[in-house]
Amino acid sequence: MDVSKIENLPPPPGIISSIKAGFDVVASHITAILLPLLLNLFMWLGPRLRMDALFDSIKDDVVSLWQTGGIPLEEIQLILEWYDRTIPNVNLFWFLRTLPIGISSLLLPKGTLDTPLGDPAIWQVGAPGLFGWTFLLTFLGWVGGALYYRSVAWVVLTDKAQVAGVFSAILQSILISFLSNFLMMALLFPVMFLLFLTAQFSVFLTNLFVLFLCLAAMWIIVPIFFWPLGVFMKKQNVFTSMLSSIQLTRFT
């Protein structure tokens, strides 16, 4: 297929002019940042959904299993120290911020910092609810991201007929999110295996391989970043939008 025939791309805009245009649009349509504002307020002032109680309930059994498997006590201690620093600070509501389509948010907060409303509520999740909460929050993140991207497209486009419908935007967003995450996971396992193999031979080869991965990743990450553009701006389906994204990142 001749990708260049999918659409005629305009000349790429300048960085400064793009940033200025974005600020002008937000200043004249303040509702465009309503969803990110609500999400950030919820992350800051809302409850924390934790899983440290679940991990604490199985910690002793896991440590016993490691000791039986012959793992040195020093390594077990390092793992437990990492656990004490990390797991109690994990907020499962972070799954509401999905990629590549999701509601924009600020950096994720750490710990149970005080808020103007006092200490936030702490909700603990059990083993059965962990996967349910993860699926539910991820799905809500996809839906919220679709609505957010559509609202931005509605503000930006002068021809409202080009804006994707609500149902179509949600469906295409779920497909893009699922396919992009599946693609990243499918690439992750062979890459980690090759990284492990190179580490067995030479540190130099490992560093060279990592450098190659960083360069090659740009050919994958950038098209994924622009993948939703055709869906929300031109009513394209998932696959046509993917080809448009490849064309955009290839020629600009």
Side-chain angles (χ1 to χ4, degrees):
M1 178 182 293
D2 188 359
V3 178
S4 62
K5 294 182 180 180
I6 295 178
E7 59 177 332
N8 295 320
L9 295 175
I15 296 178
I16 302 301
S17 59
S18 298
I19 295 176
K20 179 180 180 299
F23 276 110
D24 291 341
V25 169
V26 172
S28 57
H29 302 84
I30 198 66
T31 55
I33 63 172
L34 179 60
L35 286 177
L37 177 62
L38 292 176
L39 178 60
N40 281 281
L41 286 176
F42 177 76
M43 291 295 189
W44 179 32
L45 303 175
R48 281 28 171 186
L49 187 61
R50 297 291 177 78
M51 57 181 180
D52 49 298
L54 171 62
F55 277 69
D56 288 339
S57 65
I58 62 174
K59 183 192 299 185
D60 293 337
D61 295 333
V62 173
V63 170
S64 299
L65 183 63
W66 288 341
Q67 291 174 341
T68 304
I71 298 179
L73 293 178
E74 294 79 6
E75 295 185 10
I76 295 178
Q77 185 62 34
L78 290 176
I79 296 174
L80 293 179
E81 290 176 358
W82 173 86
Y83 163 82
D84 292 333
R85 293 193 308 267
T86 305
I87 299 300
N89 293 323
V90 172
N91 182 8
L92 293 180
F93 283 123
W94 293 344
F95 280 106
L96 289 171
R97 177 61 175 103
T98 53
L99 294 172
I101 298 177
I103 303 174
S104 301
S105 64
L106 300 176
L107 295 177
L108 303 177
K110 293 183 179 180
T112 55
L113 301 178
D114 293 337
T115 70
L117 303 180
D119 293 335
I122 305 297
W123 299 350
Q124 294 290 345
V125 62
L130 177 60
F131 298 100
W133 273 107
T134 301
F135 174 80
L136 176 62
L137 294 175
T138 302
F139 180 78
L140 291 177
W142 289 346
V143 174
L147 298 177
Y148 171 57
Y149 274 48
R150 184 182 181 276
S151 66
V152 173
W154 183 270
V155 169
V156 172
L157 292 176
T158 55
D159 184 7
K160 306 304 181 185
Q162 290 185 329
V163 181
V166 174
F167 178 78
S168 175
I170 293 175
L171 177 60
Q172 300 294 333
S173 296
I174 292 175
L175 290 176
I176 289 177
S177 300
F178 178 80
L179 291 175
S180 59
N181 283 282
F182 177 80
L183 175 63
M184 298 301 292
M185 292 300 296
L187 293 175
L188 178 63
F189 290 105
V191 165
M192 294 301 295
F193 177 72
L194 291 176
L195 188 62
F196 173 78
L197 287 182
T198 56
Q200 306 305 310
F201 294 99
S202 169
V203 176
F204 174 76
L205 287 178
T206 303
N207 293 332
L208 191 63
F209 183 63
V210 170
L211 177 61
F212 171 77
L213 287 178
C214 294
L215 296 176
M218 298 303 298
W219 289 86
I220 300 175
I221 296 176
V222 176
I224 289 178
F225 179 80
F226 287 102
W227 192 349
L229 188 64
V231 170
F232 293 95
M233 304 292 287
K234 295 182 178 297
K235 285 187 175 181
Q236 295 176 343
N237 60 39
V238 172
F239 301 103
T240 305
S241 181
M242 177 180 63
L243 295 177
S244 298
S245 175
I246 294 174
Q247 181 190 21
L248 175 67
T249 55
R250 178 182 176 186
F251 294 108
T252 58

